[in-house]
Amino acid sequence: MADLEALLGRRLAAGFEAVAGEPVDPLVRRSQRADFQSDAALGLARRLGRNPRELAEQVVQRAELADLCSRVEISGPGFINLTVAGNALARLLDRLAPDPRLGVARSPAPQTVVVDYSAPNAAKEMHVGHLRSTIIGDAVVRVLEWLGHTVLRRNHVGEWGTPFGMLIEHLLDIGEAEAAHELSVGDLTGFYQAARVKFDSDPDFKERARRRVVLLQSGDPISRRLWSMLVGESKKYFADVYARLDVRLTDADYAGESSYQDQLDAVLAELDALGLVRISDGASCVYPAGFSNREGEPLPLIVRKRDGGYGYAATDLATIRHRLTDLGATRLLYVVGLPQRTHLEMIYETAREAGWLVPPARAEHVGHGSVLGSDGKLLRTRAGTSVKLVDLLAEAVVRARAVVAGKNPDLDPAEQAAVANAVGIGAVKYADLSTDRLKDYVFDLDRMLALDGSTAPYLLYAHARIQAIFRRAGAKPTTPPPVTIAESAERALALELVGFAELVRGVGDTLELHRLAGYLYGLASAFMTFYEQCPVLTAPAEIRASRLVLCELTARTLRVGLGLLGISTPDRM
Ligand code: ARG
């Protein structure tokens, strides 16, 4: 509805079609030269062997643009530059103002989407890779839900691997009570490492651990109970991290590796019946097409190991089959670090060959890069161990408190703490989400918490600033008064506001969350300029009313947009 780009595109498309006698994509996009530009005349002219400038002239003559554009200009070899009329922008904002969805339509073809994210490993510390997966996955879930899709969150916790043999044996050595204590205070690394040391140095222990895995996997009740205790304590710890992060992962979303155990035999049998399984070195393997090692030999996915055990790949095969055939999902998203790309692509290809993954269903790896320390290497503590997530988050909140106190010393302590929490966690999330997820980024709290630039504090401050205007303005009108756009700063802000819907739709397809972050930064910057150049509360009544609508739309777009990124927006800062 407020979809200006699409609207201009349709009008130009009609002009192009009239001139070319066939449909032409006008390729309208935002522009530095004017508000929007279309370069489609160039390609078309080449194809038709005509002069591009002349062709562009004819297109704009045939396109109906008068009600939308104050200026239409052909420049260079045949670019069409469009300047949108203030009046047209004002009418679009009039329609946006009463719309709780800010112009973002629900998808006309809602899908069932499974989002696999977070997926830490039980009895192990969550590391910063899991932080990224959790933050990105949460934002993906929020965007797709807002677009009207049915989203199933799946936390594919690693709790079924061979380490559980050694972990259970270690638990028996130190006693259940002590184990419960260590795990509940979040000393997962200490617990894991103690088990590991024994495993590596004591052949006796190693043998016990090996036998324990077999017992566990064959359903031995005592092993199962101890295993549940280990997993249960880890889950409590994960839940604490999720609560601090304010992400929407609940107990109901846990579907750990073990939950697919009873399907593994059937999966192997099915793959075998399809002729996809070959025995190599005693192990049952599938060789999905298109994957080979450096020597050019086909790469195997090991479904069942030589000792009869099932591993990570088997579980992922059962998982993808379940999501497609039992859950009926048509879009499968795996928010997992880039190093697992090949593994996942092999799972998808096997699922295709098995006939589980068939169009329109598709599987996508929503890959992400790593979090680096200031030395440009993977983030570590000074002692060289991996950084505890809770420590990072706690520090972000402490540092945010100083930022908030500096900005607004008059907040009462309880509100200050709540605001600091929103700013600190928001800063960590925003820094992550505003980076192209395929890239690595440096975890730098100073930069994340800066009040200038593309940071959460800058955006949250812009939002809080607008709330302060409302507090001074008094009662809000029940029906928004008409908007007028006269000043260039008003125009610039309006152009940003009408672009939100198109942007969110695009993010729903590409899952490029950094585009949403970048958009919100552009919006906040346009607002700040507007606010410097255009007085709101002291303006004459009609202009004041119109500018308050601009303020309200900006605040709401920031709130909804940051909300889609999982960032909450306090009213004061
Ligand atoms: N637990 C795994 C890890 O920590 C991530 C699991 C990702 N999801 C999946 N279906 N394989 O690396």
Side-chain angles (χ1 to χ4, degrees):
M1 80 164 229
D3 206 336
L4 187 51
E5 207 169 297
L7 194 56
L8 290 168
R10 281 198 296 278
R11 300 288 185 85
L12 269 184
F16 270 107
E17 181 152 9
V19 173
E22 58 178 275
V24 176
D25 183 344
L27 306 169
V28 174
R29 59 187 163 92
R30 285 294 295 274
S31 166
Q32 302 291 321
R33 286 200 294 266
D35 295 336
F36 293 91
Q37 73 182 66
S38 157
D39 302 349
L42 275 67
L44 182 65
R46 219 176 303 122
R47 218 152 43 74
L48 301 181
R50 295 188 43 189
N51 175 317
R53 271 194 82 100
E54 257 173 50
L55 198 117
E57 292 285 359
Q58 289 179 1
V59 168
V60 300
Q61 270 160 26
R62 305 280 199 98
E64 217 184 291
L65 294 165
D67 59 328
L68 294 176
C69 297
S70 58
R71 228 175 116 162
V72 179
E73 183 191 63
I74 313 293
S75 76
F79 305 127
I80 301 171
N81 299 336
L82 305 172
T83 303
V84 181
N87 193 31
L89 284 171
R91 297 295 71 77
L92 290 171
L93 293 182
D94 287 343
R95 283 200 267 160
L96 223 43
D99 178 6
R101 293 189 53 90
L102 291 163
V104 185
R106 285 197 184 75
S107 167
Q111 292 186 294
T112 299
V113 188
V114 172
V115 186
D116 180 315
Y117 67 114
S118 195
N121 300 313
K124 261 193 170 177
E125 189 61 54
M126 269 177 97
H127 56 66
V128 283
H130 297 124
L131 174 73
R132 285 212 81 178
S133 173
T134 306
I135 292 175
I136 294 167
D138 185 57
V140 165
V141 166
R142 289 173 195 253
V143 169
L144 294 177
E145 279 180 348
W146 178 256
L147 288 171
H149 299 288
T150 302
V151 181
L152 306 173
R153 301 175 292 254
R154 286 294 180 270
N155 195 351
H156 194 83
V157 176
E159 27 73 311
W160 201 245
T162 37
F164 279 88
M166 99 187 170
L167 292 165
I168 292 173
E169 286 302 323
H170 176 60
L171 181 154
L172 284 168
D173 288 355
I174 63 174
E176 280 183 57
E178 173 59 22
H181 172 71
E182 283 181 23
L183 294 171
S184 65
V185 297
D187 189 14
L188 300 154
T189 312
F191 186 88
Y192 191 92
Q193 276 169 359
R196 185 88 230 178
V197 166
K198 286 196 276 180
F199 186 85
D200 289 338
S201 62
D202 177 353
D204 231 37
F205 182 85
K206 196 170 187 161
E207 179 54 24
R208 267 160 59 201
R210 203 194 54 74
R211 277 202 305 267
R212 183 60 68 184
V213 189
V214 179
L215 274 175
L216 173 67
Q217 303 211 339
S218 61
D220 164 58
I222 295 181
S223 305
R224 240 354 238 237
R225 188 177 62 76
L226 297 172
W227 172 86
S228 302
M229 197 219 103
L230 284 174
V231 174
E233 291 301 329
S234 298
K235 281 190 187 168
K236 279 189 216 156
Y237 177 69
F238 300 149
D240 174 49
V241 175
Y242 297 149
R244 279 184 205 231
L245 272 176
D246 187 20
V247 294
R248 293 187 179 169
L249 267 174
T250 66
D251 276 359
D253 306 320
Y254 280 110
E257 292 171 359
S258 65
S259 44
Y260 304 96
Q261 279 317 293
D262 55 355
Q263 298 162 39
L264 297 176
D265 288 334
V267 166
L268 177 60
E270 188 173 337
L271 293 171
D272 198 22
L274 290 165
L276 295 173
V277 177
R278 273 195 278 150
I279 307 293
S280 164
D281 226 349
S284 303
C285 303
V286 290
Y287 293 86
F291 297 89
S292 48
N293 64 16
R294 275 197 210 108
E295 285 73 49
E297 295 151 2
L299 266 185
L301 265 186
I302 301 177
V303 185
R304 191 165 60 187
K305 289 180 274 186
R306 196 167 38 173
D307 65 8
Y310 291 108
Y312 190 55
T315 301
D316 260 326
L317 287 171
T319 304
I320 198 167
R321 189 181 74 145
H322 170 69
R323 289 173 183 174
L324 290 162
T325 40
D326 303 335
L327 300 178
T330 47
R331 193 177 185 192
L332 304 181
L333 302 176
Y334 289 77
V335 188
V336 185
L338 286 173
Q340 295 198 41
R341 170 137 291 175
T342 305
H343 163 77
L344 291 170
E345 296 289 349
M346 289 174 80
I347 297 289
Y348 306 159
E349 179 55 24
T350 306
R352 274 182 217 111
E353 292 173 13
W356 307 327
L357 180 55
V358 281
R362 61 196 163 117
E364 293 161 59
H365 178 202
V366 185
H368 61 76
S370 307
V371 186
L372 308 177
S374 49
D375 56 0
K377 303 207 179 100
L378 285 185
L379 192 63
R380 304 246 171 237
T381 61
R382 263 184 229 141
T385 53
S386 66
V387 177
K388 273 180 84 167
L389 212 56
V390 273
D391 295 345
L392 278 185
L393 299 178
E395 193 184 339
V397 172
V398 169
R399 301 265 286 267
R401 191 138 190 180
V403 173
V404 174
K407 252 318 188 205
N408 196 341
D410 303 329
L411 283 183
D412 72 74
E415 186 168 2
Q416 195 184 80
V419 173
N421 194 60
V423 173
I425 298 299
V428 172
K429 288 187 178 181
Y430 185 85
D432 195 308
L433 297 170
S434 59
T435 319
D436 179 341
R437 64 179 154 72
L438 296 172
K439 300 211 170 101
D440 299 341
Y441 73 90
V442 172
F443 195 93
D444 176 354
L445 281 176
D446 286 335
R447 215 205 57 214
M448 293 177 181
L449 285 166
L451 284 158
D452 289 320
S454 183
T455 64
Y458 178 77
L459 293 179
L460 295 180
Y461 183 66
H463 174 266
R465 190 82 183 249
I466 302 174
Q467 302 307 322
I469 298 173
F470 294 146
R471 283 192 293 273
R472 274 182 284 137
K476 272 191 219 167
T478 38
T479 40
V483 173
T484 43
I485 299 292
E487 302 298 324
S488 71
E490 290 175 319
R491 259 181 53 80
L493 179 57
L495 266 173
E496 292 295 329
L497 288 168
V498 300
F500 182 64
E502 174 71 33
L503 188 111
V504 175
R505 188 170 34 235
V507 171
D509 289 335
T510 63
L511 309 178
E512 290 176 326
L513 298 159
H514 67 283
R515 297 203 184 279
L516 177 52
Y519 165 84
L520 294 171
Y521 175 56
L523 174 64
S525 307
F527 176 79
M528 287 305 200
T529 307
F530 157 81
Y531 191 61
E532 274 158 31
Q533 296 179 1
C534 305
V536 176
L537 296 178
T538 56
E542 266 167 42
I543 299 179
R544 179 183 192 270
S546 163
R547 289 184 179 164
L548 279 172
V549 176
L550 285 173
C551 290
E552 194 277 331
L553 275 170
T554 304
R556 204 146 49 86
T557 306
L558 286 172
R559 190 169 69 241
V560 170
L562 286 167
L564 294 177
L565 296 178
I567 298 171
S568 55
T569 40
D571 281 346
R572 287 170 213 266
M573 189 176 144

